[in-house]
Amino acid sequence: MSGSQAEGAAFCKGPGRRRTWAELLAGRVKKQKHNPEREQKLKDSALHLLRGHQNMNDLLLEVEDSQCKNLHLSKLVECDSAETYFDHSSSFLRSAFRDQASRLGVSVGILSARMLACSMEQVCTKPSHPVLLSSEQRKKLSSLLEIAQHLLAYNMFSRLTFCQELWKAQNSLLLEAVWRLHVQNVVSLQELLESHLDVQAMATWLFKNLCFLCEQTETSCSSADVVEAMLSGFVQLLVLKGFQENSDLRRPSEPEKMSQVATDVLQRMLACKLLALTGLCLFRVYTGHVCCGLTALDSVKRFFHHALTQILTHKPVLKVSDAIQMQKEWSFAKTHPLLTTLYCRVSVGPKESVDCLQEVLEMQEVNWQHVLSCMSTLVVCFPEAQQLVKDWVACLMARAFESYHLDSMVTAFLIVRQATLEGPFVFSSYADWFKRIPVLYSFCLQQHPHFL
């Protein structure tokens, strides 16, 4: 049989009939064995496509076939229609997400988190304020968060994925939107902050937004209650996480980066206002009122001790000789009112504050203006601090004479001189104090005549 005859026979099935290509190939197709590795690669590819797609609505339109166009999941999460769909049928909502997740080959929790994060980003676009939502934006966000709460109740929403997706668009993320996630129990502030991969970037973002929030409290606005609640909530979290007791073994230790972010942000805020000494808001942050929601009082005490230490050691450029010459300008009456207010508000108590002064002077370089003006504020505003200061001076003088410790003697002189500036109701005159210690008076007159 010739070659052409054999080829013709192969295409014929019975007399006079040619077999189709589909019939020829049908016998060669074999059912592929289940390959878990290949299946996982396909899922990973689908997940990569999902995460990298810039427009979720367009992506969902691509995968919606003609049999499922009645679902329209992309329309479901549109801010203007979310409430309508949700009120109509919650089971429809869950069914729509499951169908689309199955079609994409990804977890329904990841899909819902990605879509809601995308929708939340759209809500925050074109803001009218650096940190606050408009009334229309609040309404739209409320509908989205209602959907998220529903999905969470059915274990169909990934908090971690949601947080990660939000931080990808952090430059357009409004602080109030983050706050409302916390208030409506979708994602807590702590969970959201801890999910950020870059500690420095997180601290910078939060510091900038809290500064905007502080500026807002100094102007009258219709959102005053919201601003106050946001400020208190963020400060309470930062204080609690930045100054909690690490040795508490009854609960797992918090991630180190959360503590770093908390202390970094609070330090930046205080340093910024110390340089400017403007704005009442930041000083209200350092109050028991803002921290009253904290049950961990030890954290509050550690926070205030840390804040006072930062104030006393801020930019220590003056020498003792400078302090002696300028001391009269640092009395309580001449100190900036915001600074004296700050001293009072970071004071857990007179004894703790005097102890902090003593500790800082013994161990660190100090800002003499802050140290002495703080001491004046304590003895004027807290009468019980007067005796504490006298006892402190006595201890310094005893140490000076026992071991000829010149630093202790100089510190004692400066403290007494500062106290006497506040008048006889606070401290006896400088000359009277010297007369009570004849030996000391004679010695100091010879060594340091400028003290008189």
Side-chain angles (χ1 to χ4, degrees):
M1 181 182 297
S2 67
S4 60
Q5 290 176 331
E7 182 179 76
F11 282 89
C12 293
K13 183 179 180 181
R17 183 177 182 278
R18 183 180 292 274
R19 297 168 63 186
T20 66
W21 281 107
E23 289 174 329
L24 288 172
L25 296 175
R28 297 177 177 273
V29 176
K30 296 182 180 179
K31 184 178 180 180
Q32 294 185 353
K33 295 182 180 180
H34 176 67
N35 188 333
E37 183 178 353
R38 182 173 180 272
E39 180 181 356
Q40 184 60 44
K41 287 183 178 180
L42 288 174
K43 288 183 178 180
D44 291 342
S45 298
L47 184 59
H48 178 73
L49 174 65
L50 179 64
R51 286 179 171 173
H53 208 285
Q54 298 300 313
N55 191 316
M56 283 298 297
N57 291 337
D58 291 347
L59 175 61
L60 291 171
L61 289 174
E62 291 174 14
V63 300
E64 285 176 347
D65 56 34
S66 58
Q67 297 177 353
C68 299
K69 284 190 179 297
N70 60 321
L71 292 178
H72 292 295
L73 185 56
S74 58
K75 298 296 182 182
L76 176 66
V77 295
E78 283 186 0
C79 303
D80 294 331
S81 59
E83 188 173 358
T84 302
Y85 275 98
F86 185 73
D87 291 341
H88 177 69
S89 175
S90 58
S91 61
F92 167 79
L93 173 75
R94 299 192 301 276
S95 175
F97 272 109
R98 287 194 187 99
D99 289 347
Q100 294 290 12
S102 175
R103 199 165 293 113
L104 287 169
V106 297
S107 163
V108 66
I110 292 177
L111 174 65
S112 62
R114 176 73 173 98
M115 291 191 64
L116 290 178
C118 180
S119 296
M120 186 169 171
E121 181 183 354
Q122 294 174 11
V123 168
C124 293
T125 56
K126 298 180 180 179
S128 57
H129 190 275
V131 292
L132 299 179
L133 298 166
S134 65
S135 58
E136 183 65 24
Q137 287 173 316
R138 288 189 186 116
K139 182 180 178 181
K140 292 181 178 181
L141 182 61
S142 179
S143 297
L144 284 177
L145 298 187
E146 191 176 357
I147 293 178
Q149 290 172 329
H150 180 77
L151 294 173
L152 277 170
Y154 285 87
N155 197 28
M156 297 174 62
F157 184 80
S158 170
R159 284 188 173 93
L160 178 59
T161 300
F162 182 69
C163 293
Q164 292 171 342
E165 295 299 325
L166 284 181
W167 289 131
K168 290 180 181 179
Q170 72 179 42
N171 291 333
S172 60
L173 188 61
L174 294 178
L175 192 65
E176 184 183 342
V178 171
W179 167 249
R180 293 191 178 276
L181 289 174
H182 173 79
V183 173
Q184 295 188 225
N185 298 315
V186 176
V187 176
S188 69
L189 293 176
Q190 177 182 344
E191 190 175 2
L192 187 64
L193 295 178
E194 289 175 354
S195 67
H196 202 291
L197 299 179
D198 189 334
V199 173
Q200 192 64 33
M202 175 75 269
T204 300
W205 180 86
L206 187 55
F207 167 69
K208 179 184 70 174
N209 281 273
L210 286 177
C211 285
F212 282 131
L213 188 64
C214 285
E215 292 173 3
Q216 186 64 27
T217 64
E218 298 169 20
T219 61
S220 59
C221 68
S222 59
S223 304
D225 292 342
V226 174
V227 172
E228 185 71 24
M230 288 172 60
L231 183 62
S232 297
F234 276 102
V235 171
Q236 287 176 17
L237 174 68
L238 296 176
V239 170
L240 181 62
K241 300 308 174 186
F243 299 93
Q244 64 184 351
E245 182 59 61
N246 294 328
S247 60
D248 188 354
L249 301 178
R250 292 171 296 179
R251 59 185 177 182
S253 59
E254 300 293 339
E256 182 182 358
K257 68 178 182 180
M258 184 62 207
S259 177
Q260 292 177 0
V261 169
T263 54
D264 186 20
V265 170
L266 291 172
Q267 286 176 352
R268 287 194 198 189
M269 292 180 71
L270 181 56
C272 178
K273 292 304 179 182
L274 282 175
L275 289 173
L277 278 181
T278 57
L280 293 173
C281 169
L282 177 87
F283 297 106
R284 290 170 51 227
V285 169
Y286 291 83
T287 65
H289 170 69
V290 172
C291 298
C292 64
L294 291 174
T295 56
L297 294 179
D298 288 342
S299 295
V300 176
K301 290 181 179 179
R302 281 189 290 271
F303 165 57
F304 284 152
H305 184 276
H306 178 83
L308 182 55
T309 300
Q310 185 180 351
I311 295 169
L312 299 177
T313 58
H314 178 71
K315 298 180 75 67
V317 296
L318 297 177
K319 300 178 181 179
V320 173
S321 57
D322 300 322
I324 294 171
Q325 295 176 8
M326 304 171 65
Q327 201 166 0
K328 290 182 180 180
E329 301 301 318
W330 300 338
S331 64
F332 176 78
K334 294 183 178 181
T335 299
H336 196 295
L338 288 178
L339 198 53
T340 57
T341 300
L342 184 57
Y343 293 146
C344 293
R345 289 182 171 177
V346 299
S347 175
V348 178
K351 185 180 186 307
E352 288 79 3
S353 296
V354 172
D355 288 344
C356 185
L357 279 168
Q358 182 176 353
E359 176 185 325
V360 169
L361 280 169
E362 290 179 353
M363 302 181 64
Q364 301 186 50
E365 293 293 325
V366 298
N367 181 318
W368 280 108
Q369 179 181 3
H370 289 175
V371 167
L372 296 177
S373 61
C374 177
M375 201 274 295
S376 280
T377 301
L378 291 175
V379 296
V380 171
C381 298
F382 304 96
E384 58 267 42
Q386 297 171 15
Q387 186 58 50
L388 293 170
V389 170
K390 292 176 182 178
D391 294 340
W392 178 22
V393 170
C395 291
L396 289 170
M397 295 307 300
R399 182 191 302 175
F401 278 102
E402 287 174 2
S403 58
Y404 194 75
H405 195 264
L406 185 59
D407 287 347
S408 294
M409 188 174 297
V410 171
T411 301
F413 291 162
L414 285 171
I415 292 172
V416 171
R417 281 164 58 89
Q418 190 69 27
T420 58
L421 290 175
E422 306 308 332
F425 72 94
V426 172
F427 209 88
S428 58
S429 70
Y430 194 54
D432 289 342
W433 179 75
F434 257 106
K435 291 175 183 178
R436 293 173 188 171
I437 315 176
V439 176
L440 173 63
Y441 178 80
S442 176
F443 173 81
C444 291
L445 185 59
Q446 297 175 12
Q447 302 294 326
H448 304 281
H450 55 275
F451 276 112
L452 290 180

